[in-house]
Amino acid sequence: MTSASLNPTLAAVTERVTERSRRARQAYLDMIRRAAENRPTRRDLGCANFAHAFAACSTHDKERLVAGEAPNLGIVTAYNDMLSAHQPYERFPEIIRRTAHAAGATAQVAGGVPAMCDGVTQGRAGMEMSLFSRDVIALSTAVALSHESFDAAVYLGVCDKIVPGLVIGAARFGHLPAVFLPAGPMTSGLSNDEKAKTRQRYAVGEATRAELLASEMKSYHGPGTCTFYGTANSNQMLMEIMGLHLPGASFVNPNTPLRDALTEAGVRRALAITALGNEYVPAGEILAEKNFINAVAGLHATGGSTNHALHLVAMARAAGILLTLEDVADLSGVVPLLARVYPNGLADVNHFHAAGGMQYVIRELLGGGLLHEEVRTIAGDGMSRYTQEPKLGPDGEIRWVESAGESLHKDILRPVSAPFQPTGGLQLLKGNLGTSVIKVSAVKPDRHVVEAPARVFHSQEALAAAFKAGELERDVICVVRFQGPRANGMPELHSLTPPLSVLQDKGFRVALVTDGRMSGASGKVPAAIHLTPEAVDGGPIAKIRDGDLIRLDADAGTLEVFAEGFDSREPATADLSGNEFGVGRELFAPFRAAVGPADQGASLFSFAAG
């Protein structure tokens, strides 16, 4: 297919990102080119080094490795069998090795990276390590690949911080080709809407704990990604629209013939694009400005997770690209919302995939001039390759065919010409409280503007207690502060969604303002999140007092407090010693001390400073 002429705003944002990043990007490209030229081949390793690297390989593999003419794949895996999304990866190393052997190559598990589940730690102390786990994963990726024994890497990861951490690690080894192999979503269980209703009933005491547990277990019932469109599934969308997945790979269920065939095809593609062949595609050339702009467009078009306002900025910086929240916001103004997937609608990701999925979204965005066609991908040059979907033939081989040009369900997917809303799912808010983001794709238009008195809390537990005591039965903007990256690791505050939803459903004007995060599953309550500067740094949020009038206006892009003498107030302080110990939090003290602000990705790393 041919894409339309590029939208002028998308073109202008791309140009300014490219210009802003020129020095940092060139330094990055120089780094990966030096690595490609100077890295030792396996035959250049010292004999003892070589023997250590391949001692456990079969005799046949050792012969191939000594010859040095066939690629050796490094497998970086987030496998564990506690996380439903990562449990399917238990089988992948054997599939990868078998496929590599059939192609005359070799493969080794280079290393593992941690993978924690925000669904398990939600509302618990462990959530305070969740965001930091992204940078731990990047560090673990570097350790895995530091042996300089691989010609390409395949990455096994799905969920919230795992994929961004793997991308950051892959970027720093950008001379190596990188192929991401997804595991796919679990099959549909109890609908997400029914699950949410049970949570709200439990919040007001109308459902028992047994009913709540039964509901949750019907929702999260098998191997694969959770089926709502939160951060995990937004990750998969991003990897496909950036060209790091094979076309159509993101949302095929685990442990199916097509899923296994896509894994095998991904391995063969990784072997084909190493520097030993004629199609060398280093990861750093895929992690380019246009690919990141495509990622932002995809995030807006699908109503993706707010967490990517952090992750995309951090991922881009790892590749020498200075992407900002202003860039994200400007693209939101021209990229329409094409998908309704829970929490932005009633459908889950399986329904989204069946209705046309990524192929339909990419086709529509290309046709509307809202994606860059001229990009490098693991499948070859050109984004239009990703309008094709994989079909399994009778011989067990995959063939990519053009997908249907029409949405198969207009309540789930719509064309650019008739979107669900004319602008994207994420907005930037600015004002005398600082800078924050809001996800508007799931918020009803009559809730885009909320003006109400503040009620200030220093923990999510304090808010929950006030709700149970009936103290919030009014128009209110709840301010939950000292939740930023330096204060306590910036935990998700998704456990606040049910009580705030109850208040909103009673007709009250309700909103949340916080320097913390909300889950990718959050949505219907307006929430100004990632507020920067954070309270622990004396940001304006630390000056808010109970009763101050706050106005959140998602349409105008403003967040302001109206209070006499506000600017001259002394910022509040909080005793944060309770955040410093327990479940390993003491090990993360250096992270809290070194982490950057949320609007720069809340990262430990200072890539692309100029």
Side-chain angles (χ1 to χ4, degrees), residues 280-317:
Y280 179 43
V281 185
E285 292 186 12
I286 293 178
L287 296 168
E289 295 92 336
K290 289 180 179 179
N291 300 69
F292 275 102
I293 296 298
N294 283 356
V296 176
L299 192 70
H300 289 313
T302 58
S305 170
T306 53
N307 280 319
H308 284 296
L310 300 169
H311 298 325
L312 279 170
V313 171
M315 289 155 59
R317 285 177 172 249

Side-chain angles (χ1 to χ4, degrees), residues 468-606:
K468 288 181 179 178
E471 299 173 6
L472 303 178
E473 300 275 328
R474 54 187 171 83
D475 291 356
V476 63
I477 292 184
C478 293
V479 177
V480 184
R481 63 193 181 194
F482 296 100
Q483 306 299 308
R486 290 195 61 228
N488 64 348
M490 205 179 188
E492 286 186 350
L493 306 175
H494 183 53
S495 64
L496 301 181
T497 298
L500 293 177
S501 296
V502 168
L503 294 172
Q504 181 170 273
D505 289 348
K506 288 183 175 182
F508 298 117
R509 308 292 294 179
V510 179
L512 175 70
V513 172
T514 181
D515 49 8
R517 297 183 292 130
M518 289 293 276
S519 166
S522 305
K524 79 181 218 178
V525 176
I529 61 176
H530 306 177
L531 188 57
T532 307
E534 63 174 294
V536 78
D537 287 332
I541 188 175
K543 298 181 179 182
I544 300 173
R545 296 173 184 168
D546 285 346
D548 287 348
L549 187 67
I550 296 177
R551 180 179 175 86
L552 184 162
D553 188 335
D555 295 330
T558 58
L559 178 66
E560 297 181 295
V561 60
F562 303 98
E564 189 75 26
F566 180 78
D567 290 341
S568 61
R569 289 179 184 173
E570 283 296 312
T573 59
D575 179 4
L576 301 177
S577 59
N579 303 330
E580 295 174 358
F581 294 91
V583 296
R585 285 179 289 178
E586 57 272 23
L587 299 174
F588 286 79
F591 286 54
R592 292 189 292 273
V595 68
D599 60 354
Q600 294 179 29
S603 177
L604 301 179
F605 310 126
S606 56

Side-chain angles (χ1 to χ4, degrees), residues 239-282:
M239 292 302 93
E240 185 154 348
I241 209 165
M242 291 179 73
L244 290 166
H245 279 177
L246 287 176
S250 296
F251 298 119
V252 175
N253 300 125
N255 304 320
T256 60
L258 181 56
R259 174 85 279 154
D260 286 355
L262 282 164
T263 300
E264 293 166 0
V267 172
R268 288 192 292 270
R269 192 60 192 156
L271 296 172
I273 60 177
T274 73
L276 297 177
N278 298 319
E279 297 182 73
Y280 179 43
V281 185

Side-chain angles (χ1 to χ4, degrees), residues 60-278:
H60 190 228
D61 280 357
K62 287 177 183 176
E63 291 172 354
R64 288 177 173 174
L65 290 162
V66 167
E69 295 173 356
N72 186 36
L73 291 186
I75 304 167
V76 182
T77 178
Y79 163 72
N80 65 54
D81 61 10
M82 178 182 173
L83 273 66
S84 62
H86 293 81
Q87 186 273 343
Y89 284 136
E90 184 173 17
R91 301 172 54 242
F92 276 41
E94 183 52 39
I95 295 172
I96 293 165
R97 282 190 288 263
R98 184 179 69 237
T99 306
H101 288 161
T106 53
Q108 296 174 286
V109 173
V113 303
M116 65 182 291
C117 181
D118 290 356
V120 176
T121 58
Q122 200 67 245
R124 310 287 297 179
M127 175 58 80
E128 296 177 15
M129 297 182 289
S130 175
L131 181 58
F132 290 144
S133 76
R134 181 193 65 193
D135 292 357
V136 173
I137 290 160
L139 294 168
S140 300
T141 301
V143 171
L145 297 177
S146 66
H147 300 99
E148 299 184 283
S149 298
F150 308 107
D151 300 288
V154 291
Y155 296 89
L156 312 183
V158 174
C159 285
D160 296 29
K161 265 53 75 191
I162 294 94
V163 167
L166 290 171
V167 170
I168 292 169
R172 303 316 292 180
F173 285 79
H175 61 289
L176 293 178
V179 174
F180 281 67
L181 301 175
M186 69 176 68
T187 55
S188 300
L190 181 72
S191 75
N192 288 294
D193 187 50
E194 286 300 313
K195 173 192 68 182
K197 289 177 181 176
T198 305
R199 286 179 176 179
Q200 287 185 225
R201 289 178 55 237
Y202 181 75
V204 296
E206 294 176 358
T208 66
R209 179 177 170 83
E211 289 176 292
L212 179 63
L213 181 59
S215 170
E216 298 291 336
M217 293 188 75
K218 288 177 183 176
S219 298
Y220 309 116
H221 63 90
T225 317
C226 306
T227 59
F228 61 84
Y229 194 54
T231 312
N233 285 316
S234 297
N235 281 338
Q236 304 315 296
M237 179 280 298
L238 290 175
M239 292 302 93
E240 185 154 348
I241 209 165
M242 291 179 73
L244 290 166
H245 279 177
L246 287 176
S250 296
F251 298 119
V252 175
N253 300 125
N255 304 320
T256 60
L258 181 56
R259 174 85 279 154
D260 286 355
L262 282 164
T263 300
E264 293 166 0
V267 172
R268 288 192 292 270
R269 192 60 192 156
L271 296 172
I273 60 177
T274 73
L276 297 177
N278 298 319

